[in-house]
Amino acid sequence: MKKIVLLALMLAPFSAFAQSNNVQKYIKNVLQADPLFQNAVVGIYAEDAKGECVAQWNPDLPLLTASTMKTITTGAAITILGKDFRYETTVAYTGEIKDSILEGDVWIIGGGDPTLGSTFPGAIPIEEIFGAWKGALDSLGIKEINGRIIADDTYLTDEMIPDSWTWGNIGYNYGCGPSGLCYYENTQDFYLSPSESVGHPAILTGTYPEVPGLDIRTYINTGDSVSRYSTWCYLQNITPTTELHGNLPISRGDVKRNFSNKYPHLGCAKEFEKYLVNNGIVCNTTIEDVDNVETPADGELRKIKTTYSPTMSVIVDETNLVSNNLFAENLFKSLGKEVTGVGSYDSARVVVERWLTEQGVDMTGYTQDDGSGLSRENYVSPRFFTKYYKMMMKNDTFAEYLASFPVPGKERGTLKNVLKDDVEEVKARVHAKSGSLSCVRCYAGYVDCAQGPIRFAILVNNFAAKTSEMQPKIEGFMRQLSIYAGKKK
């Protein structure tokens, strides 16, 4: 009897709170009453600046995170490596220079920079980087190269994709794996034209970047004018083969499709070779993977130029703003490399878990498999997200970290169309990272409040309905949370 009374007393404050709280009422009266959410697995937790519960539903249930996992990866990266950290890429050479001719090899030594060759607004233009590399050769008087251009991607362990990623994802441009020498966000453009006759294969007219040795097999049919346009890509990094499949209507004209590239380091080396040729250096060269090259003896490899990425704060901002999977994966593995000297997924997990322990974060409800959230072996509870966000508020990188979270209604970012019909005041309070996989929809982040940010996560898994059917009521939760925060003066 005493136990029953004690339990009732423990539950009484939350019960009274729930009855007077519009957020908890929304969960009870809308989400829990909806058959679509009853047929899903839902976890919700929100707490105020003092750590007191605002609303909850299965708060300790570990669930698939999708891209909300990026907030854990980016928080670790900007704190452990520092907001001013920059990746390095180095150009070196071996051999001898005589009469303006290099009889030897040019090396491009990657340092894990995921922005190399990227076109996002904060990236350094590749022409500027290639120009700096060429300038280093010019300073040595080199006008001709007889040898190889060697692509060194060994900064990170050769794990082009995590084992837990589904094979169907890895051909698409969101399924690019990390690399020690990235290029063009580890994607490749394919330029295609329909054949002159229906039923004949489409014509591949070019690629960017060009990847030496890549066997591209085109199985895209030229369809009639009313047929549906669709293309997809199959690839892996065991053999250098890419298969393009789909249908290209004869009336469509020339198209460009962007898919994953599992050999970005070779693409980088080839495009640099082409840049040198176009800018006056004679290249009697071949492109070579560092795996096929003997390690130079001490003193033989002469470094002549190092270029740098944008700062970590810029990279983190882009990672969360547009949900860049490649950036997140490179950040994650770089933690392992920079802290332990080994750029593997295993070392990255060790580094992050050790850091969380040092920060005093209880890791109950936390399992991280990759950096981006594309893996279906990431499981995190809503309560863990709020504990993590509380810890991040204590770090001197918090301002940059918070600024990386998308805000509804902004022109650029994954929350552009979220809460689109709400007033600006409601939208402006929400700073949230979205996450989406098949049958998974999640949001996690902060809501501005006069007493301090409210921390929250809503994770919805295993629903049978279309995402478009679940989305309005998930947004409804964030709307109610923002309204609640606005009333706390």
Side-chain angles (χ1 to χ4, degrees), residues 415-466:
L415 267 60
K416 178 179 178 180
N417 296 316
V418 170
L419 301 175
K420 62 181 180 180
D421 295 326
D422 284 83
V423 298
E424 186 61 30
E425 183 182 8
V426 169
K427 291 188 285 190
R429 281 192 286 264
V430 178
H431 307 261
K433 181 73 194 73
S434 61
S436 183
L437 292 169
S438 175
C439 303
V440 175
R441 193 64 172 163
C442 308
Y443 289 90
Y446 300 86
V447 176
D448 292 335
C449 183
Q451 283 78 24
I454 293 172
R455 306 174 288 270
F456 80 94
I458 174 169
L459 313 176
V460 185
N461 287 194
N462 297 348
F463 50 83
K466 296 178 180 179

Side-chain angles (χ1 to χ4, degrees), residues 366-425:
Y366 163 75
T367 301
Q368 183 168 8
D369 185 66
D370 69 0
S372 67
L374 192 58
S375 170
R376 285 185 173 269
E377 294 183 12
N378 294 306
Y379 288 97
V380 179
S381 71
R383 194 188 300 272
F384 178 85
F385 272 113
T386 63
K387 289 187 293 186
Y388 185 86
Y389 295 154
K390 179 180 180 180
M391 177 271 293
M392 285 301 302
M393 291 174 64
K394 301 175 183 177
N395 291 319
D396 60 6
T397 57
F398 179 66
E400 291 80 5
Y401 177 65
L402 180 63
S404 74
F405 282 63
V407 175
K410 299 297 182 182
E411 186 60 29
R412 192 164 185 264
T414 57
L415 267 60
K416 178 179 178 180
N417 296 316
V418 170
L419 301 175
K420 62 181 180 180
D421 295 326
D422 284 83
V423 298
E424 186 61 30
E425 183 182 8

Side-chain angles (χ1 to χ4, degrees), residues 81-289:
L81 301 181
K83 61 186 179 182
D84 296 321
F85 174 87
R86 294 177 186 266
Y87 289 95
E88 300 180 357
T89 307
T90 299
V91 173
Y93 77 96
T94 57
E96 299 298 329
I97 303 169
K98 186 177 181 179
D99 298 328
S100 300
I101 300 173
L102 170 62
E103 297 288 349
D105 302 325
V106 173
W107 290 63
I108 304 173
I109 305 169
D113 178 7
T115 73
L116 188 66
S118 172
T119 58
F120 88 93
I124 299 168
I126 193 60
E127 293 80 9
E128 181 178 330
I129 294 171
F130 281 174
W133 296 354
K134 177 184 178 293
L137 298 175
D138 290 340
S139 68
L140 298 173
I142 296 172
K143 298 183 183 300
E144 184 174 342
I145 303 169
N146 295 329
R148 301 168 294 184
I149 298 179
I150 296 168
D152 185 347
D153 64 344
T154 55
Y155 172 84
L156 297 180
T157 302
D158 186 13
E159 303 164 303
M160 198 57 193
I161 58 169
D163 293 338
S164 57
W165 283 13
T166 58
W167 186 68
N169 286 333
I170 65 175
Y172 293 97
N173 54 16
Y174 62 81
C176 302
S179 174
L181 177 54
C182 295
Y183 189 75
Y184 200 53
E185 296 192 16
N186 294 4
T187 66
Q188 189 173 20
D189 291 335
F190 296 86
Y191 296 90
L192 299 157
S193 298
S195 173
E196 293 181 357
S197 303
V198 172
H200 288 228
I203 302 166
L204 178 66
T205 60
T207 64
Y208 181 85
E210 182 182 345
V211 178
L214 182 64
D215 179 14
I216 304 172
R217 304 176 184 181
T218 305
Y219 301 102
I220 297 175
N221 178 63
T222 301
D224 60 37
S225 297
V226 296
S227 62
R228 180 173 176 267
Y229 168 55
S230 64
T231 54
W232 61 94
C233 177
Y234 293 125
L235 51 75
Q236 34 69 38
N237 60 324
I238 299 173
T239 60
T241 304
T242 292
E243 289 190 3
L244 303 176
H245 293 257
N247 183 76
L248 180 58
I250 195 168
S251 58
R252 181 84 183 199
D254 298 340
V255 298
K256 180 180 75 173
R257 289 292 281 121
N258 181 255
F259 291 113
S260 176
N261 176 14
K262 294 299 181 281
Y263 302 92
H265 58 304
L266 299 181
C268 177
K270 183 63 180 179
E271 293 303 324
F272 181 52
E273 179 191 60
K274 290 159 71 173
Y275 179 88
L276 293 178
V277 171
N278 290 336
N279 288 276
I281 292 185
V282 177
C283 290
N284 305 307
T285 49
T286 58
I287 306 303
E288 195 66 70
D289 191 313

Side-chain angles (χ1 to χ4, degrees), residues 1-129:
M1 186 64 179
K2 289 181 179 179
K3 291 182 179 180
I4 295 173
V5 172
L6 180 60
L7 180 61
L9 289 172
M10 291 173 64
L11 293 176
F14 179 75
S15 299
F17 173 80
Q19 290 174 5
S20 61
N21 182 309
N22 65 294
V23 188
Q24 191 66 43
K25 284 181 179 179
Y26 182 84
I27 292 173
K28 179 182 178 182
N29 298 332
V30 178
L31 298 183
Q32 292 178 340
D34 189 328
L36 297 181
F37 286 82
Q38 291 172 355
N39 198 35
V41 183
V42 182
I44 297 174
Y45 192 65
E47 65 178 22
D48 63 21
K50 296 180 180 179
E52 296 178 356
C53 176
V54 173
Q56 64 175 337
W57 181 10
N58 296 326
D60 297 308
L61 186 63
L63 294 168
L64 289 171
T65 65
S67 286
T68 56
M69 178 59 77
K70 291 183 177 71
T71 64
I72 295 175
T73 302
T74 54
I78 200 170
T79 305
I80 296 173
L81 301 181
K83 61 186 179 182
D84 296 321
F85 174 87
R86 294 177 186 266
Y87 289 95
E88 300 180 357
T89 307
T90 299
V91 173
Y93 77 96
T94 57
E96 299 298 329
I97 303 169
K98 186 177 181 179
D99 298 328
S100 300
I101 300 173
L102 170 62
E103 297 288 349
D105 302 325
V106 173
W107 290 63
I108 304 173
I109 305 169
D113 178 7
T115 73
L116 188 66
S118 172
T119 58
F120 88 93
I124 299 168
I126 193 60
E127 293 80 9
E128 181 178 330
I129 294 171

